[in-house]
Amino acid sequence: MTHEEALKHLSHLAHERAFGRHVGSDRLIQAGVDALIAGVESPSLAMLAGLFRSEEPEAPELFDQVLEELGLAFHPPADPWAAKWAMAYWVAGQIADGSLDPATGTHLIWADIAYDLGYPEDLESLVHCAHNLDGWDENWGVSLEELNREAVEAANQFLSKRSEH
Protein backbone atom coordinates (compact mmCIF):
# COMPACT_ATOMS: atom_id res chain seq x y z
CA MET A 1 0.00 0.00 0.00
CA THR A 2 1.38 3.41 -0.93
CA HIS A 3 1.31 6.49 1.29
CA GLU A 4 -1.48 7.95 -0.89
CA GLU A 5 -3.52 4.72 -0.80
CA ALA A 6 -3.19 4.57 2.99
CA LEU A 7 -4.47 8.14 3.34
CA LYS A 8 -7.34 7.38 0.97
CA HIS A 9 -8.26 4.30 3.00
CA LEU A 10 -8.24 6.27 6.26
CA SER A 11 -10.47 8.90 4.63
CA HIS A 12 -12.80 6.19 3.33
CA LEU A 13 -13.19 4.72 6.82
CA ALA A 14 -13.80 8.23 8.20
CA HIS A 15 -16.64 8.70 5.70
CA GLU A 16 -18.12 5.27 6.43
CA ARG A 17 -18.21 6.02 10.15
CA ALA A 18 -19.52 9.56 9.65
CA PHE A 19 -22.41 8.23 7.55
CA GLY A 20 -23.37 5.79 10.31
CA ARG A 21 -21.91 2.61 8.81
CA HIS A 22 -20.41 0.20 11.34
CA VAL A 23 -16.62 -0.06 11.13
CA GLY A 24 -15.15 -2.52 13.60
CA SER A 25 -12.22 -1.61 15.81
CA ASP A 26 -10.21 -4.37 14.14
CA ARG A 27 -10.53 -2.55 10.79
CA LEU A 28 -9.53 0.77 12.38
CA ILE A 29 -6.43 -0.79 13.94
CA GLN A 30 -5.51 -2.57 10.69
CA ALA A 31 -5.86 0.72 8.80
CA GLY A 32 -3.48 2.23 11.35
CA VAL A 33 -0.97 -0.59 10.81
CA ASP A 34 -1.24 -0.24 7.02
CA ALA A 35 -0.79 3.53 7.20
CA LEU A 36 2.22 3.22 9.48
CA ILE A 37 3.86 0.69 7.14
CA ALA A 38 3.11 3.01 4.19
CA GLY A 39 5.03 5.81 5.89
CA VAL A 40 2.13 7.94 7.10
CA GLU A 41 3.17 9.95 10.15
CA SER A 42 0.96 11.25 12.94
CA PRO A 43 1.51 11.40 16.72
CA SER A 44 -1.35 8.97 17.51
CA LEU A 45 -0.93 6.58 14.57
CA ALA A 46 1.60 4.26 16.27
CA MET A 47 -0.65 4.07 19.34
CA LEU A 48 -3.63 3.08 17.15
CA ALA A 49 -1.58 0.54 15.21
CA GLY A 50 -0.17 -0.96 18.41
CA LEU A 51 -3.46 -1.62 20.19
CA PHE A 52 -3.90 -5.15 21.49
CA ARG A 53 -7.16 -7.06 21.10
CA SER A 54 -8.05 -6.25 24.72
CA GLU A 55 -7.60 -2.55 23.92
CA GLU A 56 -9.95 -2.50 20.90
CA PRO A 57 -12.51 -0.26 22.68
CA GLU A 58 -9.89 2.53 22.53
CA ALA A 59 -9.59 2.30 18.72
CA PRO A 60 -12.47 4.63 17.67
CA GLU A 61 -11.20 7.52 19.81
CA LEU A 62 -7.59 7.03 18.68
CA PHE A 63 -8.73 6.72 15.06
CA ASP A 64 -10.54 10.06 15.37
CA GLN A 65 -7.35 11.61 16.81
CA VAL A 66 -5.33 10.29 13.86
CA LEU A 67 -7.88 11.75 11.43
CA GLU A 68 -7.69 15.16 13.14
CA GLU A 69 -3.88 15.07 13.11
CA LEU A 70 -3.80 14.22 9.40
CA GLY A 71 -6.55 16.69 8.46
CA LEU A 72 -8.79 13.86 7.27
CA ALA A 73 -11.66 14.28 9.72
CA PHE A 74 -15.03 14.32 7.99
CA HIS A 75 -18.27 15.54 9.47
CA PRO A 76 -21.42 15.16 7.38
CA PRO A 77 -23.90 18.02 7.25
CA ALA A 78 -25.94 18.31 10.45
CA ASP A 79 -29.18 18.41 8.46
CA PRO A 80 -30.27 14.76 7.91
CA TRP A 81 -31.55 15.55 4.41
CA ALA A 82 -28.27 17.18 3.38
CA ALA A 83 -26.33 14.33 5.00
CA LYS A 84 -28.21 11.77 2.86
CA TRP A 85 -27.40 13.76 -0.28
CA ALA A 86 -23.74 13.97 0.79
CA MET A 87 -23.73 10.20 1.26
CA ALA A 88 -25.30 9.72 -2.19
CA TYR A 89 -22.50 11.77 -3.79
CA TRP A 90 -19.85 9.91 -1.81
CA VAL A 91 -21.20 6.48 -2.83
CA ALA A 92 -21.67 7.58 -6.46
CA GLY A 93 -18.08 8.84 -6.48
CA GLN A 94 -16.85 5.43 -5.36
CA ILE A 95 -18.92 3.68 -8.05
CA ALA A 96 -17.55 6.10 -10.65
CA ASP A 97 -13.89 5.71 -9.63
CA GLY A 98 -14.15 1.92 -9.41
CA SER A 99 -13.44 1.65 -5.68
CA LEU A 100 -16.94 0.27 -4.98
CA ASP A 101 -18.66 -2.55 -6.82
CA PRO A 102 -21.58 -1.08 -8.84
CA ALA A 103 -24.09 -3.62 -7.49
CA THR A 104 -23.10 -2.90 -3.89
CA GLY A 105 -23.04 0.87 -4.41
CA THR A 106 -26.32 1.17 -6.26
CA HIS A 107 -27.99 -1.09 -3.70
CA LEU A 108 -26.70 1.17 -0.92
CA ILE A 109 -28.13 4.21 -2.73
CA TRP A 110 -31.44 2.43 -3.30
CA ALA A 111 -31.89 0.96 0.18
CA ASP A 112 -30.18 3.48 2.47
CA ILE A 113 -30.50 6.80 0.67
CA ALA A 114 -33.20 7.03 -2.01
CA TYR A 115 -35.82 5.51 0.27
CA ASP A 116 -35.13 8.08 3.01
CA LEU A 117 -35.23 10.92 0.46
CA GLY A 118 -38.55 9.77 -1.03
CA TYR A 119 -36.99 8.41 -4.25
CA PRO A 120 -35.97 11.73 -5.82
CA GLU A 121 -35.70 11.96 -9.60
CA ASP A 122 -31.95 12.65 -9.40
CA LEU A 123 -31.40 9.15 -7.97
CA GLU A 124 -33.84 7.38 -10.29
CA SER A 125 -31.24 6.01 -12.74
CA LEU A 126 -29.06 4.67 -9.92
CA VAL A 127 -32.06 3.00 -8.27
CA HIS A 128 -33.01 1.52 -11.67
CA CYS A 129 -29.48 0.13 -11.99
CA ALA A 130 -29.75 -1.33 -8.48
CA HIS A 131 -32.97 -3.14 -9.43
CA ASN A 132 -31.38 -4.51 -12.61
CA LEU A 133 -28.20 -5.64 -10.88
CA ASP A 134 -30.12 -7.11 -7.95
CA GLY A 135 -32.47 -9.13 -10.15
CA TRP A 136 -30.12 -9.93 -13.05
CA ASP A 137 -30.54 -13.28 -14.71
CA GLU A 138 -28.29 -14.67 -17.44
CA ASN A 139 -31.37 -15.20 -19.63
CA TRP A 140 -31.96 -11.44 -19.89
CA GLY A 141 -29.81 -11.09 -23.00
CA VAL A 142 -27.65 -8.43 -21.36
CA SER A 143 -24.38 -9.17 -19.60
CA LEU A 144 -23.66 -8.33 -16.00
CA GLU A 145 -20.66 -6.33 -17.27
CA GLU A 146 -23.01 -4.17 -19.35
CA LEU A 147 -25.25 -3.53 -16.33
CA ASN A 148 -22.17 -2.61 -14.30
CA ARG A 149 -21.09 -0.17 -17.05
CA GLU A 150 -24.58 1.38 -17.01
CA ALA A 151 -24.32 1.83 -13.23
CA VAL A 152 -20.92 3.54 -13.55
CA GLU A 153 -22.35 5.79 -16.26
CA ALA A 154 -25.40 6.61 -14.10
CA ALA A 155 -23.06 7.47 -11.21
CA ASN A 156 -21.00 9.75 -13.45
CA GLN A 157 -24.13 11.47 -14.78
CA PHE A 158 -25.43 11.97 -11.25
CA LEU A 159 -22.10 13.48 -10.18
CA SER A 160 -21.99 15.76 -13.24
CA LYS A 161 -25.44 17.20 -12.40
CA ARG A 162 -24.44 17.89 -8.82
CA SER A 163 -26.68 20.60 -7.44
CA GLU A 164 -27.37 21.89 -3.98
CA HIS A 165 -29.67 19.60 -2.02
Side-chain angles (χ1 to χ4, degrees):
M1 183 177 284
T2 66
H3 184 273
E4 193 62 37
E5 289 169 337
L7 290 175
K8 187 174 182 179
H9 185 63
L10 290 171
S11 177
H12 174 83
L13 291 175
H15 279 74
E16 268 193 74
R17 292 179 72 230
F19 287 126
R21 313 288 297 167
H22 174 72
V23 179
S25 291
D26 57 330
R27 288 181 60 203
L28 300 178
I29 295 167
Q30 186 60 52
V33 170
D34 293 343
L36 203 57
I37 292 170
V40 175
E41 294 180 20
S42 118
S44 303
L45 187 59
M47 293 189 323
L48 173 65
L51 288 178
F52 292 108
R53 192 163 196 64
S54 62
E55 300 171 311
E56 280 187 359
E58 298 171 36
E61 187 177 332
L62 272 172
F63 183 78
D64 289 342
Q65 275 181 245
V66 169
L67 294 176
E68 289 293 335
E69 293 164 2
L70 295 172
L72 297 175
F74 173 75
H75 305 285
D79 173 56
W81 190 264
K84 284 291 180 181
W85 280 109
M87 185 177 178
Y89 286 112
W90 177 65
V91 172
Q94 291 179 85
I95 294 169
D97 73 12
S99 63
L100 183 62
D101 172 65
T104 303
T106 57
H107 186 270
L108 189 60
I109 287 174
W110 169 29
D112 290 3
I113 301 169
Y115 174 82
D116 291 343
L117 293 174
Y119 294 103
E121 190 177 320
D122 285 355
L123 295 177
E124 200 172 283
S125 63
L126 287 162
V127 170
H128 178 75
C129 290
H131 284 282
N132 285 343
L133 286 163
D134 190 50
W136 180 78
D137 183 287
E138 59 189 37
N139 298 321
W140 281 12
V142 62
S143 70
L144 197 52
E145 291 75 23
E146 180 60 30
L147 292 179
N148 282 328
R149 276 194 297 278
E150 286 176 14
V152 170
E153 173 145 342
N156 280 315
Q157 286 177 354
F158 171 66
L159 292 169
S160 73
K161 294 188 300 188
R162 190 172 200 159
S163 59
E164 291 303 312
H165 288 106

